[in-house]
């Protein structure tokens, strides 16, 4: 199994997605960071709290989890696109071993995305307000938000990989993840918050300590995320075992 995982790590570092996706995530998070810093300066001038501005800048880095999940989906679905998934199964020894290895490698990649969000998020909190003459105000809540961004990136990567196993098509996997994250889940949260708080991405809002109302407690949010991942793993494993692999 160790050699299978090492082989999947080499595949994950092949191509351009391993640096394009973190770069794109960093770019979007930085855009949000400067937006929060600019609006935060206006709020501070009006008597607002520096701590709240720093916390909002930290939350800007939660977007990294979207790119983490896309990395997981591409890691799996591109093998269907190139027709190499059958050869990968033969080399891995079984379909289940390949599924487990890719899920593990996706989780490792998610940890890399999360650490990037944590490091750059902390740096952004420290320097983003300086352009407007505002000093950062780190609190325990700031670090909990940054750790939540890290956790969401770690958990989103295997979710994306399992979506890739279920859908199989790269374009459809990417489109499904983006649609669920940016349109469906947020739309349902606006229409039916009591129901939507049990959706995966909305549960992640609790983990990075969003200030929206009607969110789950953090322990319950982790339980909901674990249930979604377990259900997706079951579905992916069943489909991989019962459907033609190519």
């Amino acid at each position: 199994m160790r050699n299978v995982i090492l082989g999947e790590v080499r595949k994950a570092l092949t191509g351009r997605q391993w640096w394009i996706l973190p770069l794109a995530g960093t770019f979007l998070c930085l855009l949000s960071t400067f937006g929060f810093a600019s609006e935060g300066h206006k709020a501070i001038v009006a008597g607002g709290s520096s701590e709240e501005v720093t916390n909002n800048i930290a939350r800007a880095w939660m977007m990294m989890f979207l790119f983490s999940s896309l990395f997981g989906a591409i890691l799996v679905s591109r093998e269907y696109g190139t027709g190499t998934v059958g050869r990968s199964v033969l080399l891995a020894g079984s379909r289940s071993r390949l599924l487990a290895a890719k899920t593990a490698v996706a989780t490792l990649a998610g940890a890399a995305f999360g650490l990037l969000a944590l490091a750059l998020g902390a740096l952004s909190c420290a320097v983003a307000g300086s352009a407007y003459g505002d000093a950062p105000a780190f609190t325990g809540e700031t670090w909990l938000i940054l750790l939540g961004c890290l956790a969401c990136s770690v958990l989103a990567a295997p979710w994306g990989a399992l979506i890739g196993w279920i859908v199989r098509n790269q374009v459809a996997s990417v489109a499904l993840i983006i649609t669920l994250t940016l349109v469906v889940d947020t739309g349902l949260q606006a229409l039916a918050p009591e129901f939507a708080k049990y959706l995966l991405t909305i549960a992640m809002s609790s983990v990075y300590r969003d200030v929206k109302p009607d969110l789950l407690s953090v322990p319950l949010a982790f339980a909901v995320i674990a249930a979604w991942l377990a259900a997706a793993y079951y579905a992916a494993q069943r489909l991989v075992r019962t459907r033609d692999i190519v």
Side-chain angles (χ1 to χ4, degrees):
M1 190 63 182
R2 177 173 171 271
N3 289 336
V4 179
I5 292 176
L6 289 176
E8 292 304 320
V9 170
R10 294 192 65 178
K11 291 179 188 175
L13 296 176
T14 301
R16 292 178 292 183
Q17 79 282 349
W18 69 269
W19 62 267
I20 287 180
L21 288 174
L23 186 63
T26 299
F27 176 72
L28 279 187
C29 291
L30 282 175
L31 283 180
S32 298
T33 289
F34 290 120
F36 281 122
S38 174
E39 293 302 315
H41 175 69
K42 298 175 184 175
I44 291 173
V45 170
S49 163
S50 297
E51 290 83 355
E52 188 58 36
V53 174
T54 303
N55 290 343
N56 286 336
I57 292 173
R59 286 189 191 94
W61 290 85
M62 64 84 181
M63 281 298 294
M64 194 65 82
F65 85 74
L66 170 62
F67 295 88
S68 174
S69 61
L70 293 178
F71 185 93
I74 292 173
L75 177 67
V76 173
S77 58
R78 70 175 177 179
E79 289 221 35
Y80 283 100
T82 58
T84 58
V85 64
R87 186 167 30 182
S88 295
V89 168
L90 291 175
L91 291 173
S94 75
R95 301 180 183 194
S96 296
R97 280 166 61 89
L98 183 63
L99 185 148
K102 281 192 178 294
T103 305
V105 172
T107 305
L108 288 175
F113 276 85
L115 289 172
L116 182 66
L118 175 63
L120 294 181
L123 181 62
S124 297
C125 290
V127 304
S130 61
Y132 304 95
D134 299 327
F138 282 89
T139 63
E141 179 71 9
T142 309
W143 292 110
L144 288 176
I145 293 168
L146 291 171
L147 288 173
C149 294
L150 185 155
C152 289
S153 292
V154 174
L155 295 169
W159 168 253
L162 295 170
I163 292 291
W165 280 112
I166 294 169
V167 177
R168 295 188 170 200
N169 180 276
Q170 184 169 309
V171 174
S173 300
V174 169
L176 178 61
I177 289 172
I178 292 175
T179 303
L180 286 175
T181 304
L182 300 181
V183 181
V184 176
D185 288 6
T186 52
L188 286 173
Q189 188 184 29
L191 295 172
E194 283 298 318
F195 163 75
K197 64 185 178 183
Y198 295 100
L199 299 174
L200 180 81
T201 56
I202 306 304
M204 286 184 176
S205 301
S206 301
V207 175
Y208 63 79
R209 305 177 75 82
D210 203 333
V211 293
K212 293 176 183 173
D214 301 315
L215 295 179
L216 299 172
S217 65
V218 174
L220 185 54
F222 274 117
V224 168
I225 293 168
W228 276 101
L229 289 175
Y233 194 91
Y234 174 79
Q237 189 175 49
R238 183 171 179 79
L239 289 172
V240 168
R241 283 180 172 178
T242 56
R243 294 167 66 186
D244 290 338
I245 199 68
V246 293

